[in-house]
Amino acid sequence: FTLCWLLLLVSLARAGIETEAAEPVSNQSQNETTGAGVSLSQLIFDSSEHFSDINSAKLDGLLQRIGDSRVVLLGESSHGTYEFYEMRARITRELIENKGFNIVAIEGDWPDASRIDFYVRGGRESGKRPMYTKKPFTVFPEWMWRNHSVMDFTHWLKDHNRSVRSADDTVGFYGIDIYNIFGSIDVVVDYLYGVDANMADFARRQYGCLAPWAEYPPDYGRALKSGKARPCTNEVAAVFQALQGKQAKFMPLDKQRYFHALQNARLIKNGERYFRTMKDGDTQSWNQRDNNMFERLQAIMDYRGETSKAVVWAHNTHLGDSRATDSRERGEVNLGQLVRQAFGDRSYIIGFGTDHGRVAAAPQWHRPVESRVVPASHKDSYEYLFHLVKADNFMLPLRHAKNDLIRKKLLPVRMERAIGVAYDPENELKKHYYDASLPRQFDEYIFFDETHAIRPLSE
């Protein structure tokens, strides 16, 4: 027994995880006493900051806890919850105005987000079809970013950028995901037609290798595995290398547009590898995607300079440190882990959760979005534990907890709910829960007992 315990401690230390005890919850009362005659729900109440609504929430304490962090990760336990979007926007506005953050990065695709970036920061028209005149986020799940909450935030961001003195001080809006490689192809080719027509023709021919799979990129990997097609690896790499080699010539013409074009070319290269090796539920694909997110975040921060500060909006499963979840058993890493390893205490991770309400989600992939009922959380989950707290909405500091006891009591592994763009509440326990240690996963947690669905722009 002693040897097994020592081996466990060694393995945790090697993984870079705290060695505090975190055994799974087993048939214990979620409202247990703390040993001092105080219930766990009361301890959570006493350790958290409560608010009645998002606009009136006092964020001074949160900003103080964030301190001089360069990267703040703002999560969500579902992609379609109104309160999560609104609270992230409220916190982001405070970080921009009071702490000088100049990057907003989202779990969205680069070519779509770049059109928002050109809208909020401005830019000179060039190219055959200027990227910022196109409508962004038009493919599934378009409602994830084409909704009223994001639109309102981008209008605020444009107004804010108008008030700053220099273009270098404006706040940019970037997508760090990998899926829309054909949108990225359009951007690269259009950009090149504005600066070098011969190189644009070269890029168009090279990217033509991927054209048969424009409607559904996952079919590319299947065609390779069946022997019906050959890889396009060399073609997409050649365009990236050619564009990278033209930096000295193209960058002075328009720094912003060249940076976007180069990142799109890199995304096409990474995306080709992602879809070439993609398998359902495959750890390699997950790791490629989250490593790409981290690489894009690093590239943006390098581009914006040594004083850059970034806010990231993405799902809890991408932003909460994966070493604190059951995904580490599958060898998965995520953006939150990579950010913590790179930035240490100068990063701050905030998770979001809810007990019940409604959410915007599709019943299946590529099906129309619906406002779906979110049932009460499972009794072995953190969400149910927080539901017992006599406060509808609260912020719970975990890294800077008000006392050591709250952290100790929340360390044991419990279930957490994760709702994506597709949601199947009838099989929720199997599909939408995972195990984690919350204080290891996040530096802070924001809880809304009842939540509502976001409103897509079509409504």
Side-chain angles (χ1 to χ4, degrees):
F1 176 84
T2 302
L3 178 59
C4 292
W5 179 245
L6 289 173
L7 289 173
L8 175 60
L9 292 179
V10 170
S11 65
L12 289 175
R14 286 178 177 172
I17 308 172
E18 304 164 75
T19 56
E20 301 164 273
E23 288 78 16
V25 174
S26 177
N27 298 322
Q28 70 178 50
S29 169
Q30 296 280 22
N31 209 19
E32 64 187 34
T33 61
T34 63
V38 178
S39 68
L40 183 51
S41 61
Q42 183 63 45
L43 179 62
I44 295 169
F45 181 90
D46 294 339
S47 304
S48 56
E49 298 173 359
H50 321 127
F51 56 95
S52 58
D53 60 80
I54 292 169
N55 290 330
S56 66
K58 295 180 180 180
L59 301 182
D60 292 348
L62 175 62
L63 295 180
Q64 185 176 2
R65 292 187 291 274
I66 288 172
D68 64 353
S69 296
R70 284 192 65 195
V71 182
V72 175
L73 308 182
L74 300 177
E76 58 184 4
S77 60
S78 62
H79 284 314
T81 297
Y82 170 82
E83 284 79 4
F84 299 161
Y85 282 80
E86 292 293 319
M87 191 62 166
R88 291 191 303 193
R90 169 84 200 283
I91 294 170
T92 302
R93 292 195 300 266
E94 295 285 343
L95 291 173
I96 290 169
E97 292 183 326
N98 297 310
K99 287 188 173 289
F101 278 68
N102 59 357
I103 294 165
V104 179
I106 66 167
E107 186 190 337
D109 291 308
W110 189 287
D112 300 278
S114 67
R115 293 158 201 161
I116 304 296
D117 184 54
F118 275 79
Y119 167 73
V120 300
R121 298 178 64 208
R124 180 175 62 83
E125 283 201 22
S126 62
K128 190 176 179 181
R129 293 180 296 167
M131 66 180 73
Y132 51 96
T133 62
K134 301 176 187 177
K135 184 184 292 186
F137 305 113
T138 56
V139 297
F140 183 88
E142 66 277 7
W143 46 267
M144 183 174 161
W145 299 112
R146 287 185 60 79
N147 59 66
H148 289 271
S149 296
V150 174
M151 181 180 69
D152 291 345
F153 175 74
T154 57
H155 289 334
W156 177 89
L157 198 55
K158 185 174 182 66
D159 289 341
H160 169 82
N161 283 338
R162 285 171 173 164
S163 69
V164 302
R165 295 180 180 180
S166 167
D168 292 336
D169 297 326
T170 55
V171 180
F173 190 90
Y174 307 91
I176 56 175
D177 216 340
I178 202 169
Y179 287 123
N180 191 7
I181 60 172
F182 289 96
S184 290
I185 287 173
D186 287 343
V187 172
V188 173
V189 173
D190 288 351
Y191 167 77
L192 287 173
Y193 272 120
V195 294
D196 188 325
N198 290 333
M199 191 170 173
D201 289 337
F202 167 76
R204 184 169 48 80
R205 289 193 303 271
Q206 299 300 100
Y207 288 147
C209 180
L210 289 170
W213 301 280
E215 292 298 318
Y216 193 63
D219 283 344
Y220 169 63
R222 298 188 183 100
L224 295 181
K225 289 179 176 64
S226 66
K228 296 179 180 179
R230 64 172 183 82
C232 300
T233 307
N234 292 336
E235 285 83 351
V236 298
V239 178
F240 172 73
Q241 291 165 2
L243 186 56
Q244 190 177 42
K246 293 287 187 178
Q247 178 173 333
K249 178 181 179 181
F250 292 162
M251 178 76 87
L253 300 176
D254 190 321
K255 179 181 178 181
Q256 184 181 3
R257 289 185 64 87
Y258 175 75
F259 174 71
H260 278 285
L262 185 64
Q263 295 308 311
N264 275 291
R266 188 184 293 274
L267 277 163
I268 297 162
K269 185 166 69 74
N270 290 354
E272 184 275 334
R273 182 178 70 236
Y274 175 80
F275 288 113
R276 172 164 41 88
T277 60
M278 183 178 179
K279 296 179 182 178
D280 293 338
D282 184 45
T283 295
Q284 183 181 10
S285 296
W286 173 275
N287 289 350
Q288 284 183 19
R289 185 180 172 205
D290 275 59
N291 273 288
N292 174 80
M293 289 186 187
F294 181 64
E295 288 176 6
R296 299 287 67 68
L297 179 62
Q298 283 187 308
I300 297 164
M301 296 184 73
D302 290 344
Y303 168 69
R304 297 305 302 269
E306 294 180 356
T307 60
S308 61
K309 293 183 176 182
V311 184
V312 181
W313 295 5
H315 201 282
N316 285 351
T317 52
H318 291 294
L319 299 190
D321 193 328
S322 56
R323 293 170 295 180
T325 75
D326 55 15
S327 65
R328 79 172 184 272
E329 299 171 3
R330 300 186 293 274
E332 293 178 358
V333 298
N334 70 355
L335 179 59
Q337 174 184 338
L338 296 170
V339 165
R340 269 190 175 166
Q341 289 173 331
F343 291 92
D345 288 343
R346 297 202 69 187
S347 64
Y348 202 79
I349 307 177
I350 303 175
F352 285 71
T354 184
D355 176 70
H356 63 277
R358 302 192 74 92
V359 65
Q364 295 176 5
W365 195 260
H366 281 297
R367 294 282 298 278
V369 64
E370 302 174 1
S371 176
R372 316 207 82 197
V373 173
V374 178
S377 56
H378 193 279
K379 289 188 177 182
D380 289 334
S381 69
Y382 281 105
E383 289 88 348
Y384 179 75
L385 178 61
F386 296 145
H387 171 66
L388 298 177
V389 177
K390 294 180 179 179
D392 288 340
N393 314 312
F394 58 83
M395 293 176 280
L396 179 64
L398 296 168
R399 187 205 296 185
H400 304 294
K402 292 185 178 181
N403 60 66
D404 293 336
L405 184 58
I406 184 64
R407 180 178 176 84
K408 180 179 179 181
K409 287 294 181 180
L410 293 178
L411 270 174
V413 171
R414 289 177 168 85
M415 295 163 57
E416 286 182 40
R417 181 157 50 192
I419 298 173
V421 293
Y423 181 41
D424 182 7
E426 293 184 0
N427 294 292
E428 189 176 60
L429 185 60
K430 179 180 179 180
K431 294 183 178 181
H432 298 289
Y433 277 97
Y434 62 101
D435 294 329
S437 174
L438 198 79
R440 294 175 174 177
Q441 190 182 9
F442 303 110
D443 297 307
E444 187 136 346
Y445 194 79
I446 299 178
F447 182 75
F448 296 88
D449 192 53
E450 182 177 10
T451 49
H452 305 82
I454 57 166
R455 288 178 55 219
L457 286 181
S458 58
E459 295 182 4

